Amino acid sequence: MEDKQKAKNQILHRLKMHGAQTAATLAEQLQVSPMAIRQHLQTLQAEGWVTYREERRPQGRPVKLWQLTERSGNFFPDSHADLMVDLLRGVETVFGAAGLEKLLAERTNRQVQSYTPRLAEVAGSSDWRQRVVVLAQCRSQEGYMAEVIEQPDHSLLLVENHCPINAAARTCQMLCQSELEVFKTLLGPAVSIERIEHIMQGDRRCAYRVMSET
């Protein structure tokens, strides 16, 4: 029973990190038989964690691409969502929009102060790529399931596969802007960063294109 649950957890994690996958791809990645993967997927589908869509290929039958359902967000940590939402609403009610902006500015400053010592270990204009990697490591430790992906144009894609403050961000979208400001401050003016995918806009993940301006 424990092994089955472990396998199902691994499937959910893979789909969260990499998006829709075929059963054959999952089987290869997890080094188990396709039949076992299909059994786990059917169980996860019955439990409401995954679903699939069919994709036509140039040859042969359509393939099933398995993906997470909206409900699956409950499987991943959400950083005391209800408490954070209530606090944000309370701040805006008591102190108004200006008070909420001050609170978010203070949070931004604290995030920068928290990340700076880690990034300082790889400081220097020639090390911007390593700083992005360290930033992703910091974010992963906070539950964002972050990774860095090299791009053909030599830019980097900073990907956050999970948003542990999702509920709060939906209540206060200024949170997302403050996160972007943190990244810009940490990486400095010699590096450009642009959000190109956004969970709040219906994307599977948040993704940022990062590249050197020099």
Side-chain angles (χ1 to χ4, degrees):
M1 182 66 70
E2 183 176 341
D3 289 341
K4 287 184 178 181
Q5 187 59 49
K6 180 180 178 181
K8 290 194 292 185
N9 291 349
Q10 289 176 328
I11 291 171
L12 293 174
H13 188 273
R14 284 278 175 179
L15 294 178
K16 185 69 171 175
M17 290 291 291
H18 303 292
Q21 305 280 320
T22 65
T25 299
L26 288 168
E28 182 179 355
Q29 292 172 343
L30 299 177
Q31 297 184 334
V32 297
S33 70
M35 181 178 294
I37 285 290
R38 291 189 178 92
Q39 290 175 344
H40 291 315
L41 287 168
Q42 290 171 0
T43 301
L44 289 168
Q45 183 183 26
E47 294 172 350
W49 299 115
V50 303
T51 185
Y52 69 85
R53 69 177 191 273
E54 290 192 342
E55 181 178 271
R56 293 189 177 278
R57 297 292 169 90
Q59 296 180 341
R61 300 171 58 185
V63 298
K64 291 181 179 179
L65 287 175
W66 292 88
Q67 60 193 34
L68 297 176
T69 63
E70 185 174 345
R71 181 194 169 194
S72 69
N74 297 327
F75 178 81
F76 301 94
D78 204 16
S79 296
H80 309 295
D82 292 340
L83 175 60
M84 185 176 284
V85 168
D86 286 344
L87 287 174
L88 289 172
R89 287 174 176 166
V91 168
E92 188 168 22
T93 298
V94 175
F95 300 105
L100 183 57
E101 289 179 8
K102 289 182 179 179
L103 175 67
L104 294 178
E106 171 60 21
R107 178 178 182 270
T108 297
N109 289 335
R110 284 188 285 106
Q111 281 185 297
V112 170
Q113 292 173 6
S114 174
Y115 296 153
T116 295
R118 292 282 303 277
L119 271 70
E121 297 173 4
V122 290
S125 59
S126 62
D127 295 320
W128 71 272
R129 303 172 77 84
Q130 186 59 32
R131 294 205 305 276
V132 176
V133 171
V134 173
L135 178 57
Q137 293 171 350
C138 293
R139 300 292 282 179
S140 286
Q141 290 173 356
E142 295 180 2
Y144 287 86
M145 299 174 69
E147 59 182 332
V148 176
I149 303 173
E150 293 272 355
Q151 299 298 291
D153 62 358
H154 304 297
S155 66
L156 296 179
L157 200 63
L158 171 60
V159 175
E160 295 182 339
N161 292 286
H162 180 58
C163 178
I165 60 168
N166 186 292
R170 292 189 182 280
T171 299
C172 175
Q173 296 194 10
M174 286 187 292
L175 272 171
C176 293
Q177 182 58 36
S178 70
E179 300 271 82
L180 186 55
E181 291 302 320
V182 168
F183 297 164
K184 289 180 177 179
T185 300
L186 290 168
L187 296 177
V191 178
S192 69
I193 179 166
E194 174 191 10
R195 184 189 288 121
I196 60 173
E197 296 180 49
H198 196 191
I199 291 174
M200 294 298 110
Q201 300 299 321
D203 294 317
R204 179 185 66 82
R205 62 190 187 177
C206 287
Y208 304 82
R209 179 182 289 112
V210 190
M211 58 193 311
S212 174
E213 293 282 19
T214 58

